[in-house]
Every structure is written in C-alpha cells, then in structure tokens.
C-alpha cells in the first residue's frame, strides 16, 4: 500500500500512515492519540503528554511519585522546538520528528517516529543531547512513550470483557508461552477517584533478554476492534509499562504505553552528558491495527522483513565443487559465480546439526561419518558440528574451560583432523558449520591470559570465571582475536557459525571503577553487535545463527544482526510445537530454527548404538508417527534436522528425505507468509488440547494459500475442528502435503468452503500432519504460483484431501 501522510493544522496535528494515526497538540507537541485512523477524530484523549519520558539527577522524578513509572517531571519542563513530517530513506517512507528543549539545562530531546513502508508501524528512536554549558546526568530516557491509546467506548477500560493484554513468559525449554489477560488480572486496577497513575510493569535485567519475558506486548481492545503493540529491540536490560493516567471513572484519562531500557530504578542506569554529548536509547517498534493479536503480529512481520532482517548470503552453489582446493577454502571467484547462479538467495537452507538428541556435544570421526552420509542422502544442505569439536575426548564435557581459543581437537577426528571432516561434508555436497561461543573464555584457555582490560569487569575484577569470562568487544585486541578465529575457520571451509551464549553477565560492567554498570552494559552490547556486523561484512558467504542458550537472548535487536535464531533447547518432541508456535509471534518464520529430531537418543546414551535395537524403542518408532510429528514441526520455520538418522531404517530415511524435499518446495512460500493460530496459542502443559499453526501467503485478510501444521498431542479426541473464516467462500480446498497421500498415513479431511471450517481426524495421540489450503484452480501437487481466481463450493473429501 502506498504511504499516505496527512498533516493538518488546527486543534490537533494529525499524521496518518498506512492507517496509523498519531495526533499531537500543535502548541506543545503533546501526544493526544496513537491508534488506527478512524472517521471520528473526536476520540482523542483530553490527557496529553510529550512522546518521551525523561529524568535527570537533581530534580524529583515526579510530584510525590518518585517510584512510579509512566510519568516524569522533566517532560513538563520541555519546550517544543519542532514537530514536523520529514523525509526518510530505505524501508522508511517518512518520519515524524519531535524535538524539545529544557530551558534550565539546555538538554535537547529528540524523538523520531520512522514510518515503515507497507505497515502501520513506527520505529521509534529517541536521543538526548546536552545543548547547555554544564554536565547533565540523565537517570531515565524512554525509548517510546505513547499516549491516547483507547478511544471512548461503552465499556470502561477496566471492564474485564474489554481489554486483553498479550504477553509471553519464557524460560529454558519453555520459551514463548503466551498469555492473554485482562488489565485487572495483570494487576492494573482502577481504584482511585483522583488524577493518579496506575500501571503494570514487565522487565528484564541483564543480557538474557528473553529469559523471563519476551520484550513484546499486544493490547487488544475488543470494544473498538483495534490492537496496539510494541517491541523493545535490545539484547540487554529492558522494561515495558502499561498504565492509566487519570481518575478511574469519567471521560478524563488516558491509557499509555512506555517501553525502553535506560532507567535508574530498574537496572541502576544513569549517564552524565558533557556539553555537546549525545545519548541514544535502544530503539523500539510500535504500532496499531484493526484486528487482534494475529493482525498485530502480521504488522510486525512486515516491518521486520523490510527493516530488521539481515539478508541471507547467496549460499546456493557454495558446497562441493564451489569449494577451493586449498583446504576447502572458497575462492572469491567461486563465491561470485555462486552468487550469480543463486536461484533465490533468500531461500532457507536445510540444516543438519549433530547436537540435539544426537551426539550431544561429543563429535568424533566414527560418529560423524555415518551421520554426514545420512544427512546428505536425505537432502540436507548444511551440516553443523556443534559443541566439542575443539576439545579432547576425555574426560567427556570437560572442554568448556578452554572456550576462547577455538583450536580443533587433537584426538577426535583421525589422521586428517577436523579439516578432513569438513572436507567430507563438502564432498557430500553440503556446507560445513561449527559451534562457537564468541562471548565466552574458559579459565584454562590461552585467551584467558590476556590483560584484564580485555574482559568485562565489575567492581574492579573480571565477571565470571571457571567456564566463562566475558570478552569485552570494546577492546581492539579482543576483536582482533575473534576475527582471527573466524578468518581461520572460514579458510578451512566453514560456511556457517552457530553462536551460543550460555551465561548472563548480569546488571552491567565497568571499564573503570566508578563507571555506571548499566550504562556499561549498553556500550558492551553495542560493541558486540558491531563486531557481528563486521564479521558479516568480512565474510559475506557466512551464515550466522544466534542460539542464545536456546533462545534466552532472542530479542528483535539481536536478530537484526544474525540470520537465524534457534527456537529452544527443548528435547521432548511432543512439547516443541507449543514453543515453535509461540516463537513465531516474535521471530520471523524464515529466521526461526525449529528442531526436528527423528530417531532421537538420550544424552546419557549418546554412544550406545544398542539403543536402537531395543524392542521397546523399535515398537515406539514402528508406525512412523513420531518421525512424522517431528518433521511436521520442522515446517514451522527453518528446518534444523537432528537425531540419529543414520540409525533409522531405509523406509524412515525415505520419509525424512520426503519431508526435506517438500521443505525445499515450500521454503520460498514460508518466507513470504504470515503466521496465525486457528486454535489459539497453547502452553506446553496444555497438552490435552490440539495445536494448529497457519502460514498465510499474501496476508491474513485474504490469503492466496495457507500451509497448515496440525498436531494432536495427548488429547483423547481424534477430531480437530479448525475455524478458517478468512478462507470462507473463496474456493479453497484442503489436501495433505506431508506425508504424501497414499503412503499409509493419510488423515481424514473435510473442508467446508461456505464457512471456512476444516475438520481433521488424526489417528492417535502425538500425531501430526502438514496440510495445504489452496484455490481450486491451483493444480494439485504443484508448487507453481496459485491462481488468484475464486470459485467452488466445499464437499466431503477423500483421505488426505478435503475438497
């Protein structure tokens, strides 16, 4: 959709972009509305506030409410300098610039709403500059502050039937568990007749930015049919606050939303600005849509695709013959030729990783060679050797104290060493990858003997110890060392790095005693991200994955620098769909690495080949349903294949190869699709309920085609009813995509075109199917573009097909 900007003088200045309205008072720049555009402009709130919250040392935060978020005293002292629509560039159609000055100190605050092409989203960038003659110490600077969210409605804001606030808790093996609650259920209670502030606060301290909560919120107003959303783009400390300013009753009052990272009260942050010095807060994305949770996610997906996601390298053709002769090194001319020949540089590669339910960090020549051959047979394009490639065999798992040197093991890989294994991977037509933890240094590593200033410190000593000190990427020697490591690995033919991050250095760090630790965290994180950008520029054919201890650091800020994100370290296959579905609300499908581990082996039996001969194990795997369940889950993003597929019988390997071939046919569509959840998002422990994930090509309102993953978990009912109202009356039909119909694993399907209702019958617990819904004119079984014409009516279908 073409960008439309409306700037009207008068009672309010209103700016409209892609259906998003921002309204300000012209005399002082106070925000009066942030919502979907409507014909009725009278809905703007009577409460107006500058679009920033800031505090400085020497004055109270606010009148009598020093501990309250939401409002500070300093913005009331600001005097408007500028409020204008200005040109922007790249993915941004234009920007709204707010600039104001504190007359007492000369502090200048600038808020830039960068309006995203094709989406009702603004990326908000906020900075403060000391334009005075004396130092100013900031103690709070919001990244975004939105006033005037809710229009007037028959139901008050605190009515439990009006608002649903969507947030997600996260933890190891329980990532992205979404909840939808009323404000009262969250603790936002209307209880005062006076003009006070009440709010709820979500926050995270440290560098595990997604360990407890995801830095994303959707506020759904069922009275007006609109939703508001925000995300914090920072792999460090952050906060989000949702609140109400004003009396609980009456028309005077307004809902507000604040998010950011720079705050004294949560993380202890402050920053003293010398005259002329500037501080920029971490960015946020905000927006509003007509619709609910899925429509808010759709808007953020559109934004991230054009403004945040780094482009994948043109990786096709970089394996096998494209490798140079010198130790597997890829010659520059070969890279150029491969880039030119790439059919679609953005297609998602099929990746085998040897860790999960597989080698568990104990790779050796005799274990890897059959896995490499099996991965090549089923069609994988990358083969990643996870942890352990740098450590000696004995004792197992003791290699972590040598993190940081990243030298190949001396005794794991036979006479040809690691280079021989990497060559074998390329000989089999795949691109090799390795696991690293760039931000870790074990106490026994030679790297650990570098001076203390090369490591993050607090209170004058290094943070951590044992397995992990934390290198400081602000130091040139650290950057040179890690660049040297990656250069060396790339020269060996490595085309993929899985970067892990398995510990959190806490509230902050200090380069010098007396420095503010929280401000040190900000600068240390920004230094690491700039290093990652240097790596991508230095090695344009290298794919970088962010593991982040299984998505403990998986915020939008870090994903603007890495190509892929592992969804979880969850090892129980029946629990992974809940995580994958929830993760797609905040990670793009083409960036989300989803583990699929058919023929798994437990960590305590990683070297026990007899495990696969156990009669109980064979009986469990006999009908193929566990393998199918795993592989269907892999379609929820980028397939991370693992498990001991080399031990699988030929028919199971053929089934895995079938799924990989379908992934290759579907991946171009997946990266153009938008996720939705016909049965809602379900928690890991809600395993009696089925799960379904839709990937709608073209958009949610009028999709061209839908890929649908359906999982029956531990529930008794074989019948699953899926409402798909956006498809009603448009001539769609349903068919089974995987396993291929006619192979003995067909589901019963019945799609009613009049209502958009789909019925699926799955044969047993912990079974799953991949379905596709497409227009009737589309030839069955093809991957050609879907004919946009409408027509047809629903009828009862055969097994594997619902017309």
């Amino acid at each position: 959709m073409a960008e439309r900007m409306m700037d009207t003088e008068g009672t309010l200045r209103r700016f409209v972009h892609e259906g998003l309205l921002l309204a300000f008072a012209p005399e002082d720049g106070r925000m009066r509305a942030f919502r979907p555009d409507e014909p009725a402009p009278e809905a703007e709130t009577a409460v107006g506030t500058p679009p920033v919250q800031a505090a400085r040392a020497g004055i109270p935060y606010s009148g009598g409410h020093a501990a309250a978020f939401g409002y500070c005293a300093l913005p009331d002292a600001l005097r408007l300098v500028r409020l204008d629509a200005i040109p922007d560039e790249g993915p941004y159609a234009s920007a709204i610039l707010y600039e104001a000055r504190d007359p007492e100190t000369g502090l200048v605050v600038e808020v830039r709403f960068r309006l995203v092409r094709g989406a009702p989203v603004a990326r908000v960038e906020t900075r403060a500059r000391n334009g005075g003659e004396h130092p100013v110490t900031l103690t709070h600077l919001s990244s975004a502050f939105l006033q005037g969210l809710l229009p007037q409605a028959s139901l008050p804001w605190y009515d439990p039937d009006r608002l649903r606030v969507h947030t997600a808790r996260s933890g190891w093996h329980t990532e992205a568990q979404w909840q939808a609650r009323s404000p009262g259920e969250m603790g936002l209670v209307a209880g005062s007749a006076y003009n006070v502030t009440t709010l709820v606060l979500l926050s995270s301290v440290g560098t595990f930015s997604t360990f407890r909560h995801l830095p994303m919120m959707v506020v759904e107003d069922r009275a007006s049919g609109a939703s508001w959303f925000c995300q914090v783009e920072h792999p460090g400390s952050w906060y989000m606050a949702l609140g109400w300013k004003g009396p609980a009753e009456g028309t005077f009052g307004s809902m507000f939303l604040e998010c950011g990272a720079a705050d004294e009260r949560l993380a202890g942050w402050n920053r003293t600005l010398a005259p002329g010095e500037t501080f920029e807060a971490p960015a946020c994305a905000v927006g509003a849509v007509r619709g609910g949770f899925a429509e808010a996610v759709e808007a953020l997906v559109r934004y991230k695709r054009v403004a945040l996601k780094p482009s994948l390298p043109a990786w096709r053709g970089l394996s096998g013959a494209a490798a140079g002769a010198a130790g597997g090194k890829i010659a520059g001319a070969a890279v150029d030729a491969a880039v030119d020949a790439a059919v679609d540089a953005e297609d998602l590669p099929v990746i085998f990783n040897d860790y999960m339910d597989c080698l568990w960090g104990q790779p050796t020549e005799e274990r890897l060679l059959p896995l490499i051959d099996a991965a090549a047979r089923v069609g994988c394009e990358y083969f990643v050797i996870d942890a352990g490639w740098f450590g000696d065999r004995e004792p197992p798992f003791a290699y972590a104290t040598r993190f940081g040197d990243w030298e190949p093991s001396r005794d794991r890989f036979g006479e040809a060493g690691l280079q021989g294994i990497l060559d074998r991977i390329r000989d089999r037509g795949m691109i090799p990858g390795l696991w690293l933890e760039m931000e870790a240094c074990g106490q026994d590593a030679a790297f650990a003997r570098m001076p203390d200033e090369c490591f993050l410190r607090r209170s004058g000593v290094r943070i951590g110890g044992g397995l992990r000190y934390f290198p400081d990427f602000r130091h040139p020697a650290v950057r040179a060392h890690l660049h040297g490591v990656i250069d060396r690995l790339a020269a060996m033919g490595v085309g993929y790095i899985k970067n892990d991050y398995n510990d959190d250095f806490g509230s902050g760090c200090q380069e010098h005693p007396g420095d503010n630790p929280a401000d040190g965290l900000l600068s240390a994180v920004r230094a690491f991200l700039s290093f990652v950008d240097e790596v991508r520029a230095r090695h344009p054919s290298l794919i970088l994955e962010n593991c982040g201890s299984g998505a403990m650091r998986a915020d939008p800020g870090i994903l603007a620098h890495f190509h892929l994100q592992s969804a979880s370290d969850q090892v129980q296959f029946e629990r992974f769909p809940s995580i994958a579905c929830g993760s797609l609300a905040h990670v793009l499908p083409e960036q989300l690495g989803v583990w699929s581990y058919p023929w798994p082996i437990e960590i305590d039996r990683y070297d026990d080949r007899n495990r696969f001969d156990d009669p109980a194990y064979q009986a469990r795997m006999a009908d193929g349903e566990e393998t199918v369940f795993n592989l269907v889950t892999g379609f929820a993003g980028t397939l991370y294949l693992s498990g001991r597929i080399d031990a699988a019988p030929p028919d199971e390997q053929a089934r895995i190869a079938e799924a990989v071939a379908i992934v290759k046919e579907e991946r171009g569509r997946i990266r153009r699709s938008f996720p939705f959840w016909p049965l809602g998002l379900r928690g890991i422990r809600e395993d009696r309920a089925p799960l379904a994930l839709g990937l709608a090509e073209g958009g949610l309102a009028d999709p061209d085609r839908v890929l649908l993953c359906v999982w029956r978990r531990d529930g008794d009912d074989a019948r699953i009813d899926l409402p798909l109202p956006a498809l009603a009356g448009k001539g769609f039909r349903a068919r089974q995509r995987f396993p291929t119909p006619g192979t003995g694993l067909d589901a019963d399907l019945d799609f009613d075109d009049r209502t958009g209702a789909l019925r699926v019958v799955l044969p047993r617990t912990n079974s799953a199917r991949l379905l596709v819904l497409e227009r009737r004119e589309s030839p069955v079984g093809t991957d050609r573009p879907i004919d946009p014409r409408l027509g047809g009516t629903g009828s009862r279908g055969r097994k594997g097909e619902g017309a």
Side-chain angles (χ1 to χ4, degrees), residues 377 598-599 609 612 627 644-653 656:
R377 280 195 304 273
W599 289 79
R609 291 286 301 189
F612 306 109
T627 296
R644 290 305 301 266
I645 62 172
D646 57 317
D651 62 329
E652 284 284 82
Q653 288 198 23
I656 296 167

Side-chain angles (χ1 to χ4, degrees), residues 273-552:
L273 298 179
E277 189 176 3
T278 297
F279 170 76
E280 184 168 348
C284 289
V286 298
V289 293
R290 283 271 157 226
F293 179 79
E295 287 74 19
V297 170
E298 179 182 19
L300 282 170
V301 166
R302 294 184 187 278
Y303 156 63
K304 287 184 279 194
R305 280 186 173 144
V306 300
L308 289 191
K309 181 184 73 170
S311 295
L312 274 172
W315 56 268
R316 292 186 178 190
L318 296 183
S319 60
K329 183 176 180 180
I330 304 172
V335 172
D336 293 340
V339 170
D340 292 341
V343 176
D344 191 337
E346 289 294 296
D347 270 353
L348 321 174
V350 178
I351 299 158
F352 188 94
N353 180 294
D354 72 3
Y355 186 81
M356 194 81 78
D357 279 332
C358 192
L359 298 188
W360 290 111
Q362 293 300 314
T364 61
E365 181 183 38
E366 64 272 17
R367 295 170 192 152
L368 281 170
L369 293 183
L371 269 174
I372 291 168
D373 291 348
R377 280 195 304 273
V378 302
C380 293
E381 293 157 319
Y382 281 74
F383 189 101
V384 179
I385 303 171
D386 210 282
W389 60 269
F390 45 83
D392 294 341
R393 284 176 178 254
E394 299 296 338
F397 305 106
Y399 46 67
T401 60
R402 292 188 294 278
F403 286 171
D405 292 341
W406 309 118
E407 294 286 349
S409 170
R410 297 167 295 183
D411 64 358
R412 286 183 178 270
F413 304 122
E415 292 184 5
L418 177 62
Q419 184 67 68
I421 299 295
L422 301 180
D423 291 345
R424 176 66 167 260
I425 293 169
R426 286 199 176 272
D427 288 344
R428 294 298 185 267
M430 298 180 292
I431 299 174
L434 291 176
W435 180 95
L436 284 181
E437 194 168 340
M438 299 181 199
E439 297 156 275
C441 176
Q443 64 184 12
D444 297 328
F447 184 28
R449 296 194 288 273
M450 294 182 75
D452 282 350
E453 58 263 28
C454 292
F455 298 90
L456 298 181
R457 290 163 290 158
R458 196 164 52 235
S459 302
V461 297
R462 294 185 188 185
I463 300 170
L467 304 185
R468 288 176 183 85
Y469 295 120
F470 297 89
D472 189 343
F473 284 83
R474 294 170 294 187
H475 198 288
V478 170
R479 299 172 86 95
H481 171 71
L482 268 298
H483 274 312
V485 168
I486 295 170
D487 290 349
R488 169 166 48 86
L489 298 178
M492 295 175 70
V494 171
Y496 184 109
I497 287 177
K498 173 183 177 180
N499 185 60
D500 218 333
Y501 185 71
N502 283 307
D503 207 352
D504 175 350
F505 69 77
S507 59
C509 54
Q510 298 167 301
E511 288 188 275
H512 308 286
D515 288 352
N516 180 263
D519 196 54
L521 182 151
L522 276 168
S523 64
V525 163
R526 286 168 166 168
F528 173 67
L529 295 181
S530 73
F531 172 80
V532 173
D533 292 344
E534 289 176 4
V535 171
R536 293 200 345 263
R538 198 168 172 139
H539 300 282
S541 65
L542 188 67
I543 289 182
L544 296 178
E545 172 197 336
N546 179 59
C547 177
S549 198
M552 297 299 96

